Amino acid sequence: MSWRHRIHQALDSALNIEIEDERYLGDTVQHRAAAVLIPITDRAEPGVILTQRPTWLRSHAGQVAFPGGKVDDTDESSIFAALREAEEELNIPPARVEVIGVADTYYSGSGYSIAPVVGIIPPDLELQPNPQEVEDWFEVPLAFLLDPANSIKKETNWNGQQRSYYDMQWGERRIWGVTAGIIANLVRRLA
């Protein structure tokens, strides 16, 4: 079975898995809708495009993230929002993304309900980071991200509460928090 078909099957909403997120940190009713694109490059050995946020940003400064952001009132859907944000952040044309599904909603401790939209992009796209939102971008092998051995579950005290999170190290890049949590849920779907 191809990696593309395997991921498509794993995203079937009838497949019930136990997800982990940060809803234990607060009331999910007040969470603001957001969406991210998990852009997988269409190669024999696919990769996933991730961004490095600028260090001067007000929130999540310097963190590694999927392209994405808040769902605007004018967005038709979370898929539309994820594609819009990916175009704004990395100049990924929405028409060049083959959406294969939406993974489990991730409730963040910072107050967002995030829809992870999984899409396949051509491997030769000329990505152009928007310096207002993205300091840099890089591609991580999909096989690395989907290998549970590359993810460590950690705990810390945050705002007076014990918080657990996933942490991955890929070269000089640290992938952790919400981004690593979304990846961990996808790994569980593929198990």
Side-chain angles (χ1 to χ4, degrees), residues 35-40 48-53 63-69 82 85-86 89-90 114-118 133-134 142 145 168 175-184 186:
V36 297
L37 179 65
I38 302 176
I40 302 173
V48 175
I49 303 297
L50 292 167
T51 66
Q52 183 87 42
R53 294 174 54 84
Q63 291 184 7
V64 168
F66 293 112
E85 286 283 343
E89 292 181 17
L90 290 174
I114 304 162
V117 177
V118 181
E133 300 187 57
V134 176
L142 179 64
L145 294 177
M168 306 173 87
I175 306 163
W176 67 285
V178 170
T179 302
I182 290 171
I183 293 166
L186 189 55

PDB file of all heavy atoms in Angstrom, residues 35-40 48-53 63-69 82 85-86 89-90 114-118 133-134 142 145 168 175-184 186:
ATOM      1  N   ALA A  35      -6.824  26.515  11.822  1.00  0.00           N
ATOM      2  CA  ALA A  35      -6.534  25.408  10.914  1.00  0.00           C
ATOM      3  C   ALA A  35      -5.081  25.492  10.478  1.00  0.00           C
ATOM      4  O   ALA A  35      -4.529  26.580  10.338  1.00  0.00           O
ATOM      5  CB  ALA A  35      -7.455  25.469   9.696  1.00  0.00           C
ATOM      6  N   VAL A  36      -4.484  24.333  10.308  1.00  0.00           N
ATOM      7  CA  VAL A  36      -3.120  24.259   9.790  1.00  0.00           C
ATOM      8  C   VAL A  36      -3.109  23.304   8.605  1.00  0.00           C
ATOM      9  O   VAL A  36      -3.959  22.426   8.485  1.00  0.00           O
ATOM     10  CB  VAL A  36      -2.106  23.776  10.858  1.00  0.00           C
ATOM     11  CG1 VAL A  36      -2.023  24.769  12.012  1.00  0.00           C
ATOM     12  CG2 VAL A  36      -2.423  22.375  11.356  1.00  0.00           C
ATOM     13  N   LEU A  37      -2.139  23.502   7.736  1.00  0.00           N
ATOM     14  CA  LEU A  37      -1.927  22.588   6.630  1.00  0.00           C
ATOM     15  C   LEU A  37      -0.723  21.722   6.961  1.00  0.00           C
ATOM     16  O   LEU A  37       0.327  22.234   7.363  1.00  0.00           O
ATOM     17  CB  LEU A  37      -1.664  23.346   5.323  1.00  0.00           C
ATOM     18  CG  LEU A  37      -1.393  22.467   4.094  1.00  0.00           C
ATOM     19  CD1 LEU A  37      -2.635  21.637   3.728  1.00  0.00           C
ATOM     20  CD2 LEU A  37      -0.950  23.313   2.911  1.00  0.00           C
ATOM     21  N   ILE A  38      -0.891  20.415   6.828  1.00  0.00           N
ATOM     22  CA  ILE A  38       0.234  19.483   6.926  1.00  0.00           C
ATOM     23  C   ILE A  38       0.618  19.183   5.479  1.00  0.00           C
ATOM     24  O   ILE A  38       0.035  18.297   4.838  1.00  0.00           O
ATOM     25  CB  ILE A  38      -0.152  18.196   7.689  1.00  0.00           C
ATOM     26  CG1 ILE A  38      -0.646  18.544   9.098  1.00  0.00           C
ATOM     27  CG2 ILE A  38       1.043  17.240   7.749  1.00  0.00           C
ATOM     28  CD1 ILE A  38      -1.150  17.354   9.894  1.00  0.00           C
ATOM     29  N   PRO A  39       1.562  19.979   4.929  1.00  0.00           N
ATOM     30  CA  PRO A  39       1.910  19.817   3.510  1.00  0.00           C
ATOM     31  C   PRO A  39       2.952  18.707   3.313  1.00  0.00           C
ATOM     32  O   PRO A  39       4.097  18.829   3.734  1.00  0.00           O
ATOM     33  CB  PRO A  39       2.474  21.187   3.127  1.00  0.00           C
ATOM     34  CG  PRO A  39       2.862  21.850   4.404  1.00  0.00           C
ATOM     35  CD  PRO A  39       2.222  21.112   5.537  1.00  0.00           C
ATOM     36  N   ILE A  40       2.516  17.631   2.679  1.00  0.00           N
ATOM     37  CA  ILE A  40       3.385  16.482   2.414  1.00  0.00           C
ATOM     38  C   ILE A  40       3.848  16.570   0.958  1.00  0.00           C
ATOM     39  O   ILE A  40       3.022  16.678   0.049  1.00  0.00           O
ATOM     40  CB  ILE A  40       2.637  15.157   2.664  1.00  0.00           C
ATOM     41  CG1 ILE A  40       2.115  15.103   4.106  1.00  0.00           C
ATOM     42  CG2 ILE A  40       3.539  13.970   2.362  1.00  0.00           C
ATOM     43  CD1 ILE A  40       1.223  13.917   4.406  1.00  0.00           C
ATOM     44  N   VAL A  48       7.597  16.560   4.993  1.00  0.00           N
ATOM     45  CA  VAL A  48       6.566  17.480   5.487  1.00  0.00           C
ATOM     46  C   VAL A  48       7.215  18.842   5.643  1.00  0.00           C
ATOM     47  O   VAL A  48       8.299  18.970   6.229  1.00  0.00           O
ATOM     48  CB  VAL A  48       5.985  17.001   6.835  1.00  0.00           C
ATOM     49  CG1 VAL A  48       5.010  18.024   7.400  1.00  0.00           C
ATOM     50  CG2 VAL A  48       5.299  15.652   6.660  1.00  0.00           C
ATOM     51  N   ILE A  49       6.562  19.865   5.119  1.00  0.00           N
ATOM     52  CA  ILE A  49       7.062  21.235   5.220  1.00  0.00           C
ATOM     53  C   ILE A  49       6.636  21.818   6.563  1.00  0.00           C
ATOM     54  O   ILE A  49       5.458  21.801   6.916  1.00  0.00           O
ATOM     55  CB  ILE A  49       6.521  22.118   4.071  1.00  0.00           C
ATOM     56  CG1 ILE A  49       6.876  21.525   2.699  1.00  0.00           C
ATOM     57  CG2 ILE A  49       7.009  23.552   4.211  1.00  0.00           C
ATOM     58  CD1 ILE A  49       8.345  21.429   2.391  1.00  0.00           C
ATOM     59  N   LEU A  50       7.601  22.346   7.295  1.00  0.00           N
ATOM     60  CA  LEU A  50       7.346  23.029   8.562  1.00  0.00           C
ATOM     61  C   LEU A  50       7.960  24.427   8.501  1.00  0.00           C
ATOM     62  O   LEU A  50       8.878  24.674   7.708  1.00  0.00           O
ATOM     63  CB  LEU A  50       7.956  22.246   9.726  1.00  0.00           C
ATOM     64  CG  LEU A  50       7.289  20.902  10.030  1.00  0.00           C
ATOM     65  CD1 LEU A  50       8.149  20.074  10.972  1.00  0.00           C
ATOM     66  CD2 LEU A  50       5.913  21.122  10.633  1.00  0.00           C
ATOM     67  N   THR A  51       7.443  25.311   9.327  1.00  0.00           N
ATOM     68  CA  THR A  51       7.962  26.681   9.366  1.00  0.00           C
ATOM     69  C   THR A  51       8.602  26.970  10.715  1.00  0.00           C
ATOM     70  O   THR A  51       8.263  26.344  11.725  1.00  0.00           O
ATOM     71  CB  THR A  51       6.832  27.714   9.133  1.00  0.00           C
ATOM     72  OG1 THR A  51       5.912  27.658  10.226  1.00  0.00           O
ATOM     73  CG2 THR A  51       6.109  27.465   7.822  1.00  0.00           C
ATOM     74  N   GLN A  52       9.503  27.917  10.702  1.00  0.00           N
ATOM     75  CA  GLN A  52      10.105  28.444  11.933  1.00  0.00           C
ATOM     76  C   GLN A  52       9.564  29.864  12.077  1.00  0.00           C
ATOM     77  O   GLN A  52       9.732  30.692  11.177  1.00  0.00           O
ATOM     78  CB  GLN A  52      11.632  28.472  11.806  1.00  0.00           C
ATOM     79  CG  GLN A  52      12.349  28.940  13.047  1.00  0.00           C
ATOM     80  CD  GLN A  52      12.613  27.797  14.008  1.00  0.00           C
ATOM     81  OE1 GLN A  52      12.990  26.724  13.588  1.00  0.00           O
ATOM     82  NE2 GLN A  52      12.416  28.038  15.274  1.00  0.00           N
ATOM     83  N   ARG A  53       8.885  30.116  13.180  1.00  0.00           N
ATOM     84  CA  ARG A  53       8.289  31.438  13.391  1.00  0.00           C
ATOM     85  C   ARG A  53       9.361  32.439  13.819  1.00  0.00           C
ATOM     86  O   ARG A  53      10.303  32.076  14.513  1.00  0.00           O
ATOM     87  CB  ARG A  53       7.178  31.338  14.438  1.00  0.00           C
ATOM     88  CG  ARG A  53       6.007  30.495  13.943  1.00  0.00           C
ATOM     89  CD  ARG A  53       4.963  30.245  14.991  1.00  0.00           C
ATOM     90  NE  ARG A  53       4.458  31.436  15.618  1.00  0.00           N
ATOM     91  CZ  ARG A  53       3.481  32.219  15.133  1.00  0.00           C
ATOM     92  NH1 ARG A  53       2.919  31.905  14.002  1.00  0.00           N
ATOM     93  NH2 ARG A  53       3.083  33.283  15.789  1.00  0.00           N
ATOM     94  N   GLN A  63       9.015  29.311  17.457  1.00  0.00           N
ATOM     95  CA  GLN A  63       8.610  27.905  17.461  1.00  0.00           C
ATOM     96  C   GLN A  63       8.469  27.349  16.043  1.00  0.00           C
ATOM     97  O   GLN A  63       8.240  28.074  15.081  1.00  0.00           O
ATOM     98  CB  GLN A  63       7.303  27.724  18.214  1.00  0.00           C
ATOM     99  CG  GLN A  63       7.433  27.947  19.696  1.00  0.00           C
ATOM    100  CD  GLN A  63       6.132  27.673  20.439  1.00  0.00           C
ATOM    101  OE1 GLN A  63       5.147  27.198  19.881  1.00  0.00           O
ATOM    102  NE2 GLN A  63       6.131  27.967  21.721  1.00  0.00           N
ATOM    103  N   VAL A  64       8.573  26.039  15.957  1.00  0.00           N
ATOM    104  CA  VAL A  64       8.333  25.327  14.708  1.00  0.00           C
ATOM    105  C   VAL A  64       6.836  25.059  14.625  1.00  0.00           C
ATOM    106  O   VAL A  64       6.207  24.678  15.616  1.00  0.00           O
ATOM    107  CB  VAL A  64       9.143  24.017  14.679  1.00  0.00           C
ATOM    108  CG1 VAL A  64       8.686  23.121  13.543  1.00  0.00           C
ATOM    109  CG2 VAL A  64      10.630  24.326  14.572  1.00  0.00           C
ATOM    110  N   ALA A  65       6.272  25.261  13.442  1.00  0.00           N
ATOM    111  CA  ALA A  65       4.823  25.103  13.278  1.00  0.00           C
ATOM    112  C   ALA A  65       4.492  24.661  11.856  1.00  0.00           C
ATOM    113  O   ALA A  65       5.291  24.807  10.937  1.00  0.00           O
ATOM    114  CB  ALA A  65       4.123  26.428  13.572  1.00  0.00           C
ATOM    115  N   PHE A  66       3.279  24.143  11.715  1.00  0.00           N
ATOM    116  CA  PHE A  66       2.727  23.953  10.382  1.00  0.00           C
ATOM    117  C   PHE A  66       2.239  25.310   9.901  1.00  0.00           C
ATOM    118  O   PHE A  66       1.853  26.153  10.715  1.00  0.00           O
ATOM    119  CB  PHE A  66       1.517  23.001  10.427  1.00  0.00           C
ATOM    120  CG  PHE A  66       1.858  21.594  10.806  1.00  0.00           C
ATOM    121  CD1 PHE A  66       1.420  21.073  12.012  1.00  0.00           C
ATOM    122  CD2 PHE A  66       2.596  20.784   9.961  1.00  0.00           C
ATOM    123  CE1 PHE A  66       1.711  19.768  12.378  1.00  0.00           C
ATOM    124  CE2 PHE A  66       2.899  19.485  10.320  1.00  0.00           C
ATOM    125  CZ  PHE A  66       2.456  18.966  11.529  1.00  0.00           C
ATOM    126  N   PRO A  67       2.202  25.554   8.587  1.00  0.00           N
ATOM    127  CA  PRO A  67       1.578  26.793   8.132  1.00  0.00           C
ATOM    128  C   PRO A  67       0.101  26.786   8.528  1.00  0.00           C
ATOM    129  O   PRO A  67      -0.567  25.763   8.387  1.00  0.00           O
ATOM    130  CB  PRO A  67       1.760  26.766   6.618  1.00  0.00           C
ATOM    131  CG  PRO A  67       2.284  25.427   6.266  1.00  0.00           C
ATOM    132  CD  PRO A  67       2.701  24.730   7.509  1.00  0.00           C
ATOM    133  N   GLY A  68      -0.368  27.897   9.052  1.00  0.00           N
ATOM    134  CA  GLY A  68      -1.767  27.951   9.458  1.00  0.00           C
ATOM    135  C   GLY A  68      -2.047  29.114  10.375  1.00  0.00           C
ATOM    136  O   GLY A  68      -1.164  29.920  10.663  1.00  0.00           O
ATOM    137  N   GLY A  69      -3.283  29.197  10.832  1.00  0.00           N
ATOM    138  CA  GLY A  69      -3.685  30.282  11.719  1.00  0.00           C
ATOM    139  C   GLY A  69      -5.172  30.252  11.984  1.00  0.00           C
ATOM    140  O   GLY A  69      -5.850  29.235  11.755  1.00  0.00           O
ATOM    141  N   ALA A  82      -6.917  26.796   6.114  1.00  0.00           N
ATOM    142  CA  ALA A  82      -5.570  26.218   6.087  1.00  0.00           C
ATOM    143  C   ALA A  82      -4.870  26.529   4.771  1.00  0.00           C
ATOM    144  O   ALA A  82      -3.680  26.897   4.757  1.00  0.00           O
ATOM    145  CB  ALA A  82      -5.637  24.712   6.315  1.00  0.00           C
ATOM    146  N   GLU A  85      -3.980  30.316   4.674  1.00  0.00           N
ATOM    147  CA  GLU A  85      -2.823  30.610   5.523  1.00  0.00           C
ATOM    148  C   GLU A  85      -1.525  30.091   4.911  1.00  0.00           C
ATOM    149  O   GLU A  85      -0.495  30.748   4.988  1.00  0.00           O
ATOM    150  CB  GLU A  85      -3.033  30.014   6.919  1.00  0.00           C
ATOM    151  CG  GLU A  85      -4.039  30.757   7.765  1.00  0.00           C
ATOM    152  CD  GLU A  85      -3.493  32.058   8.347  1.00  0.00           C
ATOM    153  OE1 GLU A  85      -2.262  32.251   8.373  1.00  0.00           O
ATOM    154  OE2 GLU A  85      -4.313  32.883   8.772  1.00  0.00           O
ATOM    155  N   ALA A  86      -1.560  28.894   4.311  1.00  0.00           N
ATOM    156  CA  ALA A  86      -0.354  28.339   3.679  1.00  0.00           C
ATOM    157  C   ALA A  86       0.093  29.205   2.508  1.00  0.00           C
ATOM    158  O   ALA A  86       1.296  29.381   2.276  1.00  0.00           O
ATOM    159  CB  ALA A  86      -0.604  26.904   3.228  1.00  0.00           C
ATOM    160  N   GLU A  89       1.624  32.400   4.135  1.00  0.00           N
ATOM    161  CA  GLU A  89       2.893  32.189   4.831  1.00  0.00           C
ATOM    162  C   GLU A  89       4.023  31.705   3.931  1.00  0.00           C
ATOM    163  O   GLU A  89       5.173  32.106   4.104  1.00  0.00           O
ATOM    164  CB  GLU A  89       2.704  31.195   5.982  1.00  0.00           C
ATOM    165  CG  GLU A  89       1.849  31.750   7.101  1.00  0.00           C
ATOM    166  CD  GLU A  89       1.684  30.780   8.249  1.00  0.00           C
ATOM    167  OE1 GLU A  89       2.474  29.810   8.352  1.00  0.00           O
ATOM    168  OE2 GLU A  89       0.762  30.992   9.053  1.00  0.00           O
ATOM    169  N   LEU A  90       3.700  30.826   2.969  1.00  0.00           N
ATOM    170  CA  LEU A  90       4.759  30.211   2.159  1.00  0.00           C
ATOM    171  C   LEU A  90       4.530  30.311   0.650  1.00  0.00           C
ATOM    172  O   LEU A  90       5.285  29.737  -0.127  1.00  0.00           O
ATOM    173  CB  LEU A  90       4.910  28.728   2.525  1.00  0.00           C
ATOM    174  CG  LEU A  90       5.496  28.426   3.894  1.00  0.00           C
ATOM    175  CD1 LEU A  90       5.436  26.923   4.173  1.00  0.00           C
ATOM    176  CD2 LEU A  90       6.924  28.924   3.988  1.00  0.00           C
ATOM    177  N   ILE A 114      -7.821  23.385  16.689  1.00  0.00           N
ATOM    178  CA  ILE A 114      -7.059  23.405  15.442  1.00  0.00           C
ATOM    179  C   ILE A 114      -7.434  22.210  14.570  1.00  0.00           C
ATOM    180  O   ILE A 114      -7.314  21.066  14.996  1.00  0.00           O
ATOM    181  CB  ILE A 114      -5.551  23.382  15.743  1.00  0.00           C
ATOM    182  CG1 ILE A 114      -5.186  24.547  16.668  1.00  0.00           C
ATOM    183  CG2 ILE A 114      -4.733  23.413  14.454  1.00  0.00           C
ATOM    184  CD1 ILE A 114      -3.852  24.394  17.360  1.00  0.00           C
ATOM    185  N   ALA A 115      -7.845  22.502  13.348  1.00  0.00           N
ATOM    186  CA  ALA A 115      -8.147  21.464  12.370  1.00  0.00           C
ATOM    187  C   ALA A 115      -6.894  21.224  11.529  1.00  0.00           C
ATOM    188  O   ALA A 115      -6.481  22.109  10.773  1.00  0.00           O
ATOM    189  CB  ALA A 115      -9.301  21.892  11.473  1.00  0.00           C
ATOM    190  N   PRO A 116      -6.260  20.053  11.648  1.00  0.00           N
ATOM    191  CA  PRO A 116      -5.080  19.749  10.836  1.00  0.00           C
ATOM    192  C   PRO A 116      -5.499  19.193   9.463  1.00  0.00           C
ATOM    193  O   PRO A 116      -6.012  18.080   9.374  1.00  0.00           O
ATOM    194  CB  PRO A 116      -4.317  18.693  11.636  1.00  0.00           C
ATOM    195  CG  PRO A 116      -5.037  18.578  12.946  1.00  0.00           C
ATOM    196  CD  PRO A 116      -6.428  19.073  12.703  1.00  0.00           C
ATOM    197  N   VAL A 117      -5.305  19.973   8.429  1.00  0.00           N
ATOM    198  CA  VAL A 117      -5.671  19.600   7.069  1.00  0.00           C
ATOM    199  C   VAL A 117      -4.454  18.955   6.412  1.00  0.00           C
ATOM    200  O   VAL A 117      -3.389  19.568   6.344  1.00  0.00           O
ATOM    201  CB  VAL A 117      -6.136  20.834   6.264  1.00  0.00           C
ATOM    202  CG1 VAL A 117      -6.445  20.459   4.821  1.00  0.00           C
ATOM    203  CG2 VAL A 117      -7.340  21.486   6.947  1.00  0.00           C
ATOM    204  N   VAL A 118      -4.617  17.721   5.967  1.00  0.00           N
ATOM    205  CA  VAL A 118      -3.507  17.002   5.341  1.00  0.00           C
ATOM    206  C   VAL A 118      -3.614  17.168   3.837  1.00  0.00           C
ATOM    207  O   VAL A 118      -4.657  16.870   3.235  1.00  0.00           O
ATOM    208  CB  VAL A 118      -3.532  15.506   5.723  1.00  0.00           C
ATOM    209  CG1 VAL A 118      -2.363  14.770   5.083  1.00  0.00           C
ATOM    210  CG2 VAL A 118      -3.512  15.345   7.250  1.00  0.00           C
ATOM    211  N   GLU A 133       5.538  36.486   9.018  1.00  0.00           N
ATOM    212  CA  GLU A 133       5.000  35.323   9.718  1.00  0.00           C
ATOM    213  C   GLU A 133       5.963  34.147   9.798  1.00  0.00           C
ATOM    214  O   GLU A 133       5.815  33.292  10.675  1.00  0.00           O
ATOM    215  CB  GLU A 133       3.718  34.858   9.029  1.00  0.00           C
ATOM    216  CG  GLU A 133       2.624  35.918   9.009  1.00  0.00           C
ATOM    217  CD  GLU A 133       1.322  35.370   8.466  1.00  0.00           C
ATOM    218  OE1 GLU A 133       0.839  34.379   9.030  1.00  0.00           O
ATOM    219  OE2 GLU A 133       0.809  35.943   7.489  1.00  0.00           O
ATOM    220  N   VAL A 134       6.929  34.087   8.898  1.00  0.00           N
ATOM    221  CA  VAL A 134       7.815  32.929   8.805  1.00  0.00           C
ATOM    222  C   VAL A 134       9.261  33.395   8.683  1.00  0.00           C
ATOM    223  O   VAL A 134       9.599  34.156   7.778  1.00  0.00           O
ATOM    224  CB  VAL A 134       7.438  32.046   7.584  1.00  0.00           C
ATOM    225  CG1 VAL A 134       8.417  30.897   7.419  1.00  0.00           C
ATOM    226  CG2 VAL A 134       6.006  31.535   7.712  1.00  0.00           C
ATOM    227  N   LEU A 142       8.865  12.446   6.136  1.00  0.00           N
ATOM    228  CA  LEU A 142       7.632  11.948   6.741  1.00  0.00           C
ATOM    229  C   LEU A 142       7.922  10.719   7.598  1.00  0.00           C
ATOM    230  O   LEU A 142       7.362  10.574   8.692  1.00  0.00           O
ATOM    231  CB  LEU A 142       6.605  11.616   5.651  1.00  0.00           C
ATOM    232  CG  LEU A 142       5.261  11.069   6.121  1.00  0.00           C
ATOM    233  CD1 LEU A 142       4.507  12.098   6.965  1.00  0.00           C
ATOM    234  CD2 LEU A 142       4.414  10.642   4.922  1.00  0.00           C
ATOM    235  N   LEU A 145       8.994  11.753  11.066  1.00  0.00           N
ATOM    236  CA  LEU A 145       7.900  12.260  11.897  1.00  0.00           C
ATOM    237  C   LEU A 145       6.965  11.148  12.361  1.00  0.00           C
ATOM    238  O   LEU A 145       6.421  11.218  13.471  1.00  0.00           O
ATOM    239  CB  LEU A 145       7.102  13.320  11.147  1.00  0.00           C
ATOM    240  CG  LEU A 145       7.835  14.614  10.815  1.00  0.00           C
ATOM    241  CD1 LEU A 145       6.939  15.538  10.002  1.00  0.00           C
ATOM    242  CD2 LEU A 145       8.332  15.313  12.070  1.00  0.00           C
ATOM    243  N   MET A 168      10.301  16.547  19.713  1.00  0.00           N
ATOM    244  CA  MET A 168      11.088  15.845  18.695  1.00  0.00           C
ATOM    245  C   MET A 168      12.271  16.731  18.314  1.00  0.00           C
ATOM    246  O   MET A 168      12.122  17.949  18.203  1.00  0.00           O
ATOM    247  CB  MET A 168      10.249  15.598  17.436  1.00  0.00           C
ATOM    248  CG  MET A 168       8.942  14.885  17.677  1.00  0.00           C
ATOM    249  SD  MET A 168       7.928  14.799  16.189  1.00  0.00           S
ATOM    250  CE  MET A 168       8.578  13.306  15.472  1.00  0.00           C
ATOM    251  N   ILE A 175      10.929  20.346  17.420  1.00  0.00           N
ATOM    252  CA  ILE A 175       9.505  20.298  17.097  1.00  0.00           C
ATOM    253  C   ILE A 175       8.804  19.832  18.372  1.00  0.00           C
ATOM    254  O   ILE A 175       9.052  18.730  18.844  1.00  0.00           O
ATOM    255  CB  ILE A 175       9.238  19.311  15.941  1.00  0.00           C
ATOM    256  CG1 ILE A 175      10.101  19.658  14.731  1.00  0.00           C
ATOM    257  CG2 ILE A 175       7.756  19.281  15.588  1.00  0.00           C
ATOM    258  CD1 ILE A 175      10.224  18.543  13.716  1.00  0.00           C
ATOM    259  N   TRP A 176       7.975  20.680  18.943  1.00  0.00           N
ATOM    260  CA  TRP A 176       7.377  20.326  20.225  1.00  0.00           C
ATOM    261  C   TRP A 176       6.001  20.961  20.358  1.00  0.00           C
ATOM    262  O   TRP A 176       5.536  21.662  19.462  1.00  0.00           O
ATOM    263  CB  TRP A 176       8.296  20.753  21.377  1.00  0.00           C
ATOM    264  CG  TRP A 176       8.457  22.235  21.543  1.00  0.00           C
ATOM    265  CD1 TRP A 176       9.202  23.074  20.765  1.00  0.00           C
ATOM    266  CD2 TRP A 176       7.844  23.057  22.523  1.00  0.00           C
ATOM    267  NE1 TRP A 176       9.084  24.367  21.211  1.00  0.00           N
ATOM    268  CE2 TRP A 176       8.266  24.383  22.292  1.00  0.00           C
ATOM    269  CE3 TRP A 176       6.979  22.791  23.595  1.00  0.00           C
ATOM    270  CZ2 TRP A 176       7.840  25.447  23.088  1.00  0.00           C
ATOM    271  CZ3 TRP A 176       6.564  23.850  24.386  1.00  0.00           C
ATOM    272  CH2 TRP A 176       7.005  25.166  24.127  1.00  0.00           C
ATOM    273  N   GLY A 177       5.360  20.718  21.487  1.00  0.00           N
ATOM    274  CA  GLY A 177       4.068  21.346  21.789  1.00  0.00           C
ATOM    275  C   GLY A 177       2.968  20.909  20.841  1.00  0.00           C
ATOM    276  O   GLY A 177       2.823  19.727  20.520  1.00  0.00           O
ATOM    277  N   VAL A 178       2.186  21.871  20.384  1.00  0.00           N
ATOM    278  CA  VAL A 178       1.024  21.595  19.546  1.00  0.00           C
ATOM    279  C   VAL A 178       1.430  20.880  18.259  1.00  0.00           C
ATOM    280  O   VAL A 178       0.801  19.897  17.862  1.00  0.00           O
ATOM    281  CB  VAL A 178       0.257  22.898  19.234  1.00  0.00           C
ATOM    282  CG1 VAL A 178      -0.810  22.674  18.174  1.00  0.00           C
ATOM    283  CG2 VAL A 178      -0.375  23.464  20.507  1.00  0.00           C
ATOM    284  N   THR A 179       2.479  21.357  17.609  1.00  0.00           N
ATOM    285  CA  THR A 179       2.906  20.744  16.349  1.00  0.00           C
ATOM    286  C   THR A 179       3.254  19.271  16.556  1.00  0.00           C
ATOM    287  O   THR A 179       2.780  18.401  15.821  1.00  0.00           O
ATOM    288  CB  THR A 179       4.097  21.519  15.757  1.00  0.00           C
ATOM    289  OG1 THR A 179       3.705  22.887  15.568  1.00  0.00           O
ATOM    290  CG2 THR A 179       4.540  20.933  14.425  1.00  0.00           C
ATOM    291  N   ALA A 180       4.050  18.974  17.568  1.00  0.00           N
ATOM    292  CA  ALA A 180       4.410  17.577  17.857  1.00  0.00           C
ATOM    293  C   ALA A 180       3.191  16.786  18.320  1.00  0.00           C
ATOM    294  O   ALA A 180       3.082  15.588  18.042  1.00  0.00           O
ATOM    295  CB  ALA A 180       5.519  17.519  18.902  1.00  0.00           C
ATOM    296  N   GLY A 181       2.257  17.435  19.013  1.00  0.00           N
ATOM    297  CA  GLY A 181       1.030  16.763  19.448  1.00  0.00           C
ATOM    298  C   GLY A 181       0.149  16.362  18.281  1.00  0.00           C
ATOM    299  O   GLY A 181      -0.424  15.271  18.263  1.00  0.00           O
ATOM    300  N   ILE A 182       0.034  17.232  17.295  1.00  0.00           N
ATOM    301  CA  ILE A 182      -0.735  16.911  16.085  1.00  0.00           C
ATOM    302  C   ILE A 182      -0.087  15.730  15.366  1.00  0.00           C
ATOM    303  O   ILE A 182      -0.765  14.811  14.911  1.00  0.00           O
ATOM    304  CB  ILE A 182      -0.855  18.149  15.170  1.00  0.00           C
ATOM    305  CG1 ILE A 182      -1.784  19.187  15.815  1.00  0.00           C
ATOM    306  CG2 ILE A 182      -1.341  17.758  13.777  1.00  0.00           C
ATOM    307  CD1 ILE A 182      -1.816  20.541  15.124  1.00  0.00           C
ATOM    308  N   ILE A 183       1.236  15.752  15.293  1.00  0.00           N
ATOM    309  CA  ILE A 183       1.963  14.644  14.662  1.00  0.00           C
ATOM    310  C   ILE A 183       1.724  13.345  15.453  1.00  0.00           C
ATOM    311  O   ILE A 183       1.456  12.300  14.851  1.00  0.00           O
ATOM    312  CB  ILE A 183       3.474  14.962  14.570  1.00  0.00           C
ATOM    313  CG1 ILE A 183       3.704  16.118  13.599  1.00  0.00           C
ATOM    314  CG2 ILE A 183       4.273  13.724  14.161  1.00  0.00           C
ATOM    315  CD1 ILE A 183       5.090  16.742  13.669  1.00  0.00           C
ATOM    316  N   ALA A 184       1.783  13.405  16.773  1.00  0.00           N
ATOM    317  CA  ALA A 184       1.568  12.215  17.609  1.00  0.00           C
ATOM    318  C   ALA A 184       0.179  11.622  17.382  1.00  0.00           C
ATOM    319  O   ALA A 184       0.025  10.392  17.337  1.00  0.00           O
ATOM    320  CB  ALA A 184       1.781  12.552  19.087  1.00  0.00           C
ATOM    321  N   LEU A 186      -1.555  11.866  14.607  1.00  0.00           N
ATOM    322  CA  LEU A 186      -1.517  11.260  13.279  1.00  0.00           C
ATOM    323  C   LEU A 186      -0.806   9.898  13.335  1.00  0.00           C
ATOM    324  O   LEU A 186      -1.247   8.938  12.704  1.00  0.00           O
ATOM    325  CB  LEU A 186      -0.827  12.200  12.294  1.00  0.00           C
ATOM    326  CG  LEU A 186      -0.885  11.819  10.821  1.00  0.00           C
ATOM    327  CD1 LEU A 186      -2.313  11.618  10.338  1.00  0.00           C
ATOM    328  CD2 LEU A 186      -0.187  12.882   9.974  1.00  0.00           C
TER     329      LEU A 186
END
